[in-house]
Amino acid sequence: MKPSVLAVAVSAGRAGDILLRNGMVQDWGTTERLARKAEDIQTFLRNLIAGYNPDVVVTESVGKGCMKHPGTKALIEALASEAAEHEVLDICAPIPRAYPSRFERAVALAQRHPALQGYLPNRRPYFYENTPRGYLLFDALALAESALSGPPKDQ
C-alpha cells in the first residue's frame, strides 16, 4: 500500500493542493484568496494536514533551478517549515521538468488522472497571458508523483 501524499504548489500568491491515496487522486483544491503573509499559507497547510492526515507532505524546493519570484519563494519556505512541525515525512523536491512546457505536462497528467481533466486549459496560453490557475493543481500533482517515484534526480 502506497503512503498518502499531500503536495502543495505555490505560484503568484495562490496555492494548489493534491491528495494522493494509493497513487490515485483523492482530493484537490486551490486557494481563493492571495496569500500575502507566511502565516496565511502556514494556516492553510496546517488545516490541510489536520483534515487529510497524510503520511507525506511535499513542497517545492526553492534551491538551484527555482525561478520563482522572491515573495513566492518565501511562501514556499514557510510551507516547508510548517510541514516540518508536523509528524509527517516532509519532502522538498523540484517540480519535474520532463516536458517542454507546463501545458504538455498538464495534458500528460490529466490523461493519467482523468478527475482533473476539467482543470486543463483548452490551449497553451500565450506568453503575455496570465497563467491558468488550474496549472497549480498539475504542479502539485507532479510534486506528489515525484515523491512516490523516489528521490529526485538532478535536473
Side-chain angles (χ1 to χ4, degrees):
M1 187 162 128
K2 294 180 180 178
S4 61
V5 178
L6 172 64
V8 183
V10 179
S11 180
R14 296 192 188 275
D17 64 274
I18 288 281
L19 178 69
L20 296 182
R21 292 199 194 276
N22 295 320
M24 303 297 294
V25 174
Q26 185 75 35
D27 201 3
W28 62 88
T30 59
T31 57
E32 292 298 319
R33 297 181 323 143
L34 292 173
R36 301 235 185 254
K37 299 184 293 186
E39 296 81 24
D40 296 340
I41 203 88
Q42 288 174 322
T43 301
F44 171 72
L45 182 60
R46 194 175 308 121
N47 292 337
L48 289 175
I49 291 172
Y52 293 144
N53 195 24
D55 300 316
V56 179
V57 175
V58 187
T59 57
E60 186 176 357
S61 170
V62 293
K64 181 182 173 188
C66 181
M67 298 184 299
K68 300 219 176 196
H69 184 274
T72 301
K73 285 182 179 181
L75 292 175
I76 294 169
E77 288 170 346
L79 277 176
S81 69
E82 180 64 31
E85 298 287 322
H86 296 272
E87 293 195 18
V88 296
L89 175 61
D90 59 296
I91 299 172
C92 291
I95 294 178
R97 309 270 186 231
Y99 296 93
S101 72
R102 289 173 89 182
F103 181 74
E104 280 85 6
R105 181 178 63 219
V107 168
L109 291 170
Q111 288 173 348
R112 289 200 300 272
H113 300 278
L116 297 177
Q117 285 279 347
Y119 295 94
L120 189 63
N122 294 333
R123 60 173 175 75
R124 182 178 178 170
Y126 296 108
F127 71 92
Y128 55 83
E129 293 179 320
N130 290 335
T131 303
R133 200 161 54 162
Y135 277 172
L136 277 173
L137 295 175
F138 294 106
D139 289 349
L141 182 55
L143 283 171
E145 285 191 347
S146 73
L148 288 174
S149 66
K153 296 168 183 56
D154 290 336
Q155 297 187 13

